Amino acid sequence: MKYGWIVLILILCNGCVNKDTVVKNGLSPEMVSVRDSLDTYFSSLTALKKYNGVVLAYKQDTLLLEKAYNLNEDPESSTYVTAHSQFDIHSVSKLMAYYLVAKLEGEGKLSGSQNLDMFFKGFPKGKQITLNMLLEHSSGLPRELSHIDGEEYDLVSDEIVVLAQQERLLFEPGTDVQYSNVGYEILYNIVSKMYGKPFSQCVVDEIFVPLKMNASGAHFFVKENRLRSLAQNHVLKDSVVVKVDNIQRDEFRTARLFSTVNDLKKFLDHVKSEPYASFLKNEHGIIAKDGGSKGVRAQVYSDLENSFDFVLLANYDEMPFFDTIEDVVKLLKSEPVEFPREINRKAILLDEKVLQQYVGSYTFADFDGLVLEVKVEQNHLVILQDGEKIGELLAESPTVFFENPKAAESFEFIKNDSGTYDALMGWKGITVQGKRD
């Protein structure tokens, strides 16, 4: 009898220990599974030389993962990063501009319904283009400036606005959507005028300082240098990881911000509360923004309905970016994903009649109006840019083609309304559509 009581006490104590362990760690078995899946995913991506950076993930306000993944574990390596490394965040600055517009609107100093004529006299279609259209990329303004003489780096904000007024609108304001860096440069200028200081200084004073984002700052147009441990950007060139300049001469300097995963989480925590959440979230209850340039990628993401947040920063741009973001969202919802694995695609031969129907020129609006020409050469499709051959496509199916059998990116042809074909081109996890000329 005594032995039976001892066994029962041991069982109960073991149960108590396990319970205390879960409470102490703050993770349920389900949370542990999600954490381990995230870690396995990024470890696999790194092992395939597709990722170098830092991931921070929370679910139900509980920290799941805060980890740096390195291609080279040597701290002296130029790729090496830690959880405290600062990364350039590029277009994540647009979410901060969105927030500042919301803040100014809440203070009665600005309204999303105001038009550009209220700020810039003589702006083409200025009575039709509203601040909300700039925020939502529906103004009709192009992605980049086309009337520039020199480099974007040399321009200050007022000069960018003058050049923007010379651009031809791609469509009537409010009738379509086209991602526009130019539109946001105008917003940066308006926010700057409202506060009476450069946009970057507005971000520091109105966001970074109040939220104690002490490791965040800007490269230009600020009083204080907050740069301490900036991650060096990298690209893959001829199968070798090489450094590239973090500051590119073909980019505007107006909103060149940098931050860390933990600082960006502070920003997410602030904007996902009211009154800002209602202003910033989409119809699915998500506040998110991606950013990137040559050698760098950034993502902030908060799902208000499913109670999870993550920040992803990378100083190497070989990651299949949007595929990865989609997979992280699924993992945080405990949904199944296919983990990164080595790819070996097989080519097939197609009749030349099939290939001939794809011959033509394709314009990719999302790549600054890039025009690629498709021709048939020795029973294969080839890609030309400005008359120069830049690649050869192998057929995986009658409509899907690839260049690198080790990469997931495809060049797919889809029938359009006129009965000819448009093209879907994959590039580092991004898919963009090319219209047949």
Side-chain angles (χ1 to χ4, degrees):
M1 179 66 69
K2 285 184 179 181
Y3 181 76
W5 278 108
I6 291 172
V7 171
L8 178 60
I9 290 169
L10 287 173
I11 292 172
L12 290 172
C13 286
N14 283 337
C16 291
V17 169
N18 289 337
K19 182 178 180 181
D20 290 344
T21 301
V22 170
V23 171
K24 182 178 179 181
N25 292 337
L27 297 179
S28 65
E30 180 187 357
M31 293 277 215
V32 170
S33 176
V34 173
R35 178 202 63 193
D36 291 347
S37 294
L38 285 168
D39 186 33
T40 299
Y41 187 96
F42 282 98
S43 295
S44 301
L45 206 58
T46 305
L48 292 169
K49 299 191 183 303
K50 294 288 186 181
Y51 185 71
N52 196 95
V54 184
V55 181
L56 179 73
Y58 277 76
K59 188 166 186 177
Q60 297 169 358
D61 295 323
T62 299
L63 175 63
L64 290 183
L65 186 67
E66 180 187 2
K67 185 174 178 180
Y69 296 85
N70 284 288
L71 295 170
N72 188 337
E73 292 293 345
D74 181 0
E76 298 301 315
S77 169
S78 65
T79 57
Y80 187 80
V81 293
T82 73
H84 305 292
S85 293
Q86 298 166 309
F87 293 75
D88 291 308
I89 60 173
H90 288 273
S91 285
V92 174
S93 63
K94 291 180 173 67
L95 185 61
M96 295 175 180
Y98 214 132
Y99 163 77
L100 290 176
V101 171
K103 186 172 184 291
L104 288 165
E105 184 163 339
E107 295 168 354
K109 299 175 181 177
L110 207 62
S111 171
S113 62
Q114 288 178 292
N115 58 49
L116 291 192
D117 253 15
M118 300 184 71
F119 303 94
F120 314 105
K121 295 303 178 185
F123 203 106
K125 302 283 186 178
K127 291 183 179 179
Q128 295 175 241
I129 299 174
T130 65
L131 301 193
N132 281 335
M133 289 178 187
L134 297 178
L135 289 169
E136 302 297 340
H137 300 285
S138 61
S139 67
L141 286 163
R143 183 183 180 97
E144 306 293 346
L145 292 175
S146 59
H147 296 94
I148 180 172
D149 183 17
E151 296 176 317
E152 286 86 344
Y153 177 91
D154 296 322
L155 298 173
V156 295
S157 185
D158 286 342
E159 292 173 325
I160 296 171
V161 172
V162 170
L163 290 169
Q165 295 183 64
Q166 301 173 24
E167 293 293 331
R168 182 179 63 84
L169 296 184
L170 302 179
F171 49 83
E172 282 295 305
T175 64
D176 203 347
V177 175
Q178 171 62 52
Y179 192 90
S180 176
N181 289 321
V182 175
Y184 264 82
E185 287 292 331
I186 295 171
L187 276 174
Y188 298 154
N189 188 278
I190 292 171
V191 170
S192 171
K193 283 180 167 54
M194 297 301 299
Y195 283 107
K197 51 192 168 186
F199 175 76
S200 291
Q201 192 66 55
C202 296
V203 174
V204 171
D205 293 346
E206 304 299 323
I207 300 176
F208 294 165
V209 172
L211 298 184
K212 294 182 170 53
M213 296 171 64
N214 299 325
S216 302
H219 290 282
F220 305 103
F221 310 119
V222 287
K223 299 174 183 177
E224 179 188 1
N225 179 10
R226 291 171 154 235
L227 204 58
R228 302 289 181 271
S229 55
L230 183 66
Q232 172 69 55
N233 296 344
H234 295 80
V235 299
L236 190 68
K237 185 177 181 180
D238 299 328
S239 301
V240 178
V241 178
V242 296
K243 294 189 290 185
V244 294
D245 292 337
N246 284 45
I247 306 299
Q248 297 289 315
R249 300 284 304 186
D250 62 351
E251 295 172 343
F252 302 120
R253 291 182 294 156
T254 322
R256 289 305 314 272
L257 309 178
F258 54 82
S259 191
T260 65
V261 290
N262 280 290
D263 270 8
L264 290 171
K265 177 61 165 61
K266 291 177 183 178
F267 177 66
L268 280 178
D269 287 343
H270 182 65
V271 300
K272 69 183 185 182
S273 61
E274 295 299 347
Y276 304 111
S278 295
F279 197 88
L280 297 177
K281 69 182 180 180
N282 65 16
E283 65 272 20
H284 305 294
I286 293 167
I287 300 172
K289 189 70 190 79
D290 59 88
S293 183
K294 191 174 184 179
V296 62
R297 294 287 180 267
Q299 176 77 56
V300 295
Y301 196 106
S302 183
D303 187 323
L304 305 183
E305 294 181 3
N306 292 289
S307 301
F308 66 78
D309 316 283
F310 69 90
V311 179
L312 182 154
L313 299 173
N315 61 327
Y316 173 58
D317 66 6
E318 278 301 302
M319 170 178 50
F321 187 70
F322 288 107
D323 290 341
T324 299
I325 300 308
E326 184 179 333
D327 286 345
V328 171
V329 169
K330 289 180 179 178
L331 288 171
L332 285 165
K333 291 181 178 179
S334 299
E335 296 176 358
V337 303
E338 184 175 334
F339 282 73
R341 58 183 176 80
E342 187 174 7
I343 297 172
N344 290 293
R345 302 173 75 171
K346 303 298 182 184
I348 62 173
L349 290 177
L350 296 177
D351 190 281
E352 188 167 335
K353 288 182 179 180
V354 176
L355 301 177
Q356 285 292 343
Q357 62 188 336
Y358 306 134
V359 171
S361 294
Y362 299 82
T363 300
F364 295 85
D366 286 326
F367 276 176
D368 302 337
L370 170 70
V371 178
L372 296 179
E373 187 177 1
V374 176
K375 289 186 175 182
V376 177
E377 186 178 286
Q378 296 180 347
N379 209 38
H380 288 291
L381 292 183
V382 295
I383 304 293
L384 297 93
Q385 183 179 355
D386 298 326
E388 181 181 348
K389 180 179 172 181
I390 61 171
E392 181 176 304
L393 298 178
L394 303 174
E396 187 173 50
S397 77
T399 57
V400 178
F401 296 76
F402 62 91
E403 185 175 15
N404 181 0
K406 296 289 186 181
E409 283 78 15
S410 297
F411 208 100
E412 182 178 0
F413 295 94
I414 55 172
K415 270 198 171 178
N416 56 35
D417 294 338
S418 64
T420 60
Y421 287 86
D422 290 335
L424 296 177
M425 180 172 66
W427 182 78
K428 296 182 180 180
I430 304 169
T431 300
V432 293
Q433 185 167 358
K435 295 287 189 180
R436 183 82 164 265
D437 293 346

